[in-house]
Amino acid sequence: MGEIQSEIGPQTPTNQVDDAVVYLKDHQNGALDSQVDLSALRRKIDRRLMPYMFCCYVLQFLDKVMLNYAAVMGIKKDLGLVGNEFSNVATWVFIAYLIAEVPNVYFLQKVPAAKWLGGNVFLWGVAAAASAGARGYQSLLAARIFLGIFEATVGPSLMLISSQYYTKSEQAPRFTIWYMGLGVAQIIGGLISFGFQHVHHASLEGWRIMFLVLGLVTSVVGGLTFFFLPDTPMKAPWLSDSEKVALLQHVSENQTGVWSTTLNLKQIWEAVLDIQLWLLTVITILISVSSGVVTTYSSTLIAGFGFSGPISALLNTPGGIVSIFFTLLVGFGIRKTSNRWAWNVLCTIPGIIGGALLSFLPKTNKAGVLIGIYLVNAIVATLPILYQWTMANCAGHTKRAFASALVAGSFSVGNIIGPQTFQARDAPQYQPAKIAVLATQAAAAVLSVVLFIYYKWQNRQRDQTKRVDENGVDETKWSGLTDKENPSFRYVY
């Protein structure tokens, strides 16, 4: 009991107290009478959380990538899209996504991440279904803008939820599990598109039926997430009191807290001036430029070889397999060896090779260019690394919310830039876009090494600072301090 008491000592400011502290105070007596098997507890949490988180991430990518497949299903012709209008539709999803990250910082501080996620999933399902009713450029654009607004919370919410239940090393494979939904969505999307392209003589075009069905499924999943994903570990009805206390004590080593509704503007200002966050942001932007190929134009590039729409959709699915393979590799690799920077660099290498194949092979070499398109999908695995890196190295309730929104927003910036590298005047080769893939991956690899050096330097500086009062280490676990304020905090790399 002494350990709990020291963590909720009088030095903790009452306006920054984590809700976990209140729970621990109220359950000091008798909650730890029985020993809790942490391995069994982790498996129990995985079973309750991961299906919802995985489905949400599958659907958020599926609802976006459907525009990719709709491109080879006749949406441009049916809606009379000309010039760069299709690229603009793809871009405005992420502009809306980026703008919506600003209020997300506030709402993720005031509303439990699980509730905010479930409500937004339901609404983006409505927006996805509304795309089926588009009658031209303006109506399609409006539907996709609302899709971007409601999808903006998925990354930050899943990051925050994951960090509430798992230690830093445990987070990596869990981020991998839900982020793997991206590759699964790419495979499922190709199969769905293939199926709906064989819908003939219906009152609606195949792409309209596809948007409608997926939108309705998304709204159902959103409703289930809202009601069945717990607000915090302390409110999980399927955990006993002893399990909750054991879990909170276990994750206290993160020194990042669990939940607090206090909005601390000082922490936002610290985040704005934090070098590590800007390095993470720039790396995410560079990585995400290539996702314009994966999300919006891979089917178009494949169709450029002369394949039919259904075959183009099927030929796009191996990219999802590449994405899943590398996502699993880095997630469990980080769990075993850490070295996030090295895994990040490793995943950019196939992206660089893929960009080179796309850029420099002649179009007549279909096999080589297809391999290039598939290899670019390896860079998808870098994003869960960056998301988990952000959550592991940013402490303080408000700073974590701000950091998650900033990094998710930078994903949007990259996706805004990516589709715009595909200009109508460059069709069908799109040479500038292919070279952009090559350049951005190489730059991201270099900055990953820079970030590694920065973290090593920061930890060395902290190791040289002597702490007189060892009790202070425990008190910082739930005190709401940021990583900059907490002398016992160490960055992972």
Side-chain angles (χ1 to χ4, degrees), residues 3 39 97 168 305 356 463 480:
E3 185 179 359
S39 296
Y97 194 109
K168 292 178 181 180
F305 293 131
D463 289 340

Side-chain angles (χ1 to χ4, degrees), residues 138-150:
Q138 288 80 8
S139 53
L140 178 64
L141 183 63
R144 304 304 286 181
I145 286 174
F146 278 105
L147 182 75
I149 291 172
F150 297 129

Side-chain angles (χ1 to χ4, degrees), residues 9 45 58 60 132 140 142 170 187 233 298 347 355 360 401 417 428 468-469 472 482:
I45 293 169
V58 166
Q60 74 87 25
L140 178 64
E170 292 167 355
I187 296 170
S298 54
C347 289
F360 305 121
I417 297 169
V468 178
D469 182 10
T482 67

Side-chain angles (χ1 to χ4, degrees), residues 350-407:
I352 292 169
I353 296 172
L357 292 175
L358 287 172
S359 301
F360 305 121
L361 283 181
K363 187 182 177 182
T364 53
N365 190 340
K366 293 182 181 180
V369 177
L370 271 175
I371 290 171
I373 292 173
Y374 298 149
L375 284 177
V376 170
N377 286 268
I379 60 95
V380 166
T382 61
L383 288 169
I385 299 174
L386 293 165
Y387 286 166
Q388 194 269 326
W389 223 352
T390 303
M391 288 293 95
N393 285 340
C394 288
H397 311 297
T398 304
K399 185 175 181 180
R400 286 167 69 231
F402 179 88
S404 66
L406 181 65
V407 173

Side-chain angles (χ1 to χ4, degrees), residues 159-375:
M159 282 188 259
L160 289 171
I161 293 169
S162 299
S163 67
Q164 290 176 339
Y165 290 86
Y166 303 102
T167 63
K168 292 178 181 180
S169 64
E170 292 167 355
Q171 287 170 26
R174 272 73 186 186
F175 274 63
T176 291
I177 290 170
W178 57 257
Y179 197 88
M180 194 172 60
L182 190 150
V184 172
Q186 194 167 349
I187 296 170
I188 293 174
L191 297 175
I192 291 174
S193 174
F194 179 81
F196 280 113
Q197 286 183 69
H198 288 84
V199 174
H200 302 293
H201 311 297
S203 56
L204 293 176
E205 294 91 341
W207 62 266
R208 293 186 190 275
I209 300 173
M210 180 176 68
F211 279 134
L212 186 61
V213 170
L214 285 173
L216 293 174
V217 170
T218 300
S219 290
V220 170
V221 171
L224 293 173
T225 301
F226 184 90
F227 288 108
F228 293 108
L229 209 60
D231 294 349
T232 63
M234 296 81 77
K235 294 185 178 181
W238 33 267
L239 290 178
S240 66
D241 287 344
S242 58
E243 287 174 329
K244 291 174 183 177
V245 171
L247 173 63
L248 294 176
Q249 292 286 34
H250 180 57
V251 301
S252 69
E253 71 178 58
N254 293 339
Q255 302 195 55
T256 56
V258 172
W259 172 250
S260 174
T261 58
T262 303
L263 185 67
N264 190 325
L265 296 179
K266 180 183 175 184
Q267 291 187 8
I268 292 179
W269 181 242
E270 179 185 302
V272 170
L273 299 177
D274 196 339
I275 294 173
Q276 64 151 336
L277 265 181
W278 290 110
L279 283 170
L280 287 164
T281 295
V282 174
I283 294 171
T284 305
I285 291 172
L286 291 168
I287 291 294
S288 302
V289 167
S290 298
S291 68
V293 175
V294 177
T295 307
T296 309
Y297 274 97
S298 54
S299 289
T300 301
L301 290 173
I302 293 170
F305 293 131
F307 294 113
S308 65
I311 298 302
S312 296
L314 284 182
L315 286 174
N316 203 31
T317 55
I321 298 173
V322 174
S323 170
I324 291 171
F325 172 78
F326 278 94
T327 302
L328 285 172
L329 177 68
V330 301
F332 290 96
I334 290 172
R335 171 67 165 151
K336 296 294 184 182
T337 67
S338 193
N339 293 315
R340 291 160 179 81
W341 69 277
W343 289 106
N344 214 47
V345 171
L346 174 69
C347 289
T348 64
I349 293 172
I352 292 169
I353 296 172
L357 292 175
L358 287 172
S359 301
F360 305 121
L361 283 181
K363 187 182 177 182
T364 53
N365 190 340
K366 293 182 181 180
V369 177
L370 271 175
I371 290 171
I373 292 173
Y374 298 149
L375 284 177

Side-chain angles (χ1 to χ4, degrees), residues 64-82:
K64 285 202 292 288
V65 83
M66 282 301 101
L67 189 65
N68 180 1
Y69 294 115
V72 295
M73 294 174 70
I75 190 172
K76 294 180 183 179
K77 180 182 177 182
D78 294 338
L79 298 185
L81 302 181
V82 295

